[in-house]
Amino acid sequence: QAEVRARLGDPAWRAGLAGIRGAATGRDAQAERQLRQALRRYPQEADFLGALGLAVMHQGRRAEAIGWFQSAARATKVDGQAAKWRDLATSARYWLALQEADAALDAGAYQRAETQYALARRLDPAGVDAVLGQADLAVARGDDAGAWTLLERARRLAPREAEVARRQVAWLGRNAPERLETFVADLPPA
């Protein structure tokens, strides 16, 4: 009881609590400042470490977020909380791999793109975004048949995903316009 009262009176602790709220409500830059202030005094507070990971991830700094999530997982004293932070680190790795793959694809670095899309698929085998990226890579390499196979795989993973259907319609429009009308008619309702 006395320890709780002492912490609530501590400006660094209050900054950490405000930072957690900020990271949860989209005030990420402010949350980052508050959490960094709190972590100077409480460097092993798992909730502050993890919330800082969220704040920097929301700002697009996924590589940095991974480190904060890993630190939070190591610092946590509650069994289920460590898994939460590890899962967030994996999610950040997935989105970072996709970001790097897309950038490599845009730059024409196809081998690098392939490596990063494959990493994303290993991190989240059910994730449709990595499969769609691989389909884009196949198109860029001139492998339209491979692209269609990947689009079909994406459709099996996410049968109602509008982006998958959009990409399949675009592929059919370029490669098999005679199949387009039937395909569209067979799409499930949105």
Side-chain angles (χ1 to χ4, degrees), residues 101 104-105 109-122 134 137 141:
L105 178 59
Y110 296 159
Q111 187 57 48
R112 173 83 176 138
E114 183 177 331
T115 299
Q116 290 305 105
Y117 286 131
L119 172 60
R121 295 259 332 262
R122 283 193 305 279
Q134 288 178 312
L137 177 60
R141 287 179 162 165

Side-chain angles (χ1 to χ4, degrees), residues 88-159:
L88 282 165
T90 298
S91 177
R93 277 189 202 92
Y94 173 79
W95 291 106
L96 180 61
L98 284 177
Q99 178 183 353
E100 290 178 357
D102 290 344
L105 178 59
D106 290 344
Y110 296 159
Q111 187 57 48
R112 173 83 176 138
E114 183 177 331
T115 299
Q116 290 305 105
Y117 286 131
L119 172 60
R121 295 259 332 262
R122 283 193 305 279
L123 290 168
D124 184 2
V128 71
D129 294 293
V131 179
L132 291 174
Q134 288 178 312
D136 291 342
L137 177 60
V139 167
R141 287 179 162 165
D143 180 8
D144 288 324
W148 182 255
T149 299
L150 288 159
L151 290 171
E152 284 289 289
R153 181 177 298 152
R155 188 168 182 76
R156 285 190 299 277
L157 288 171

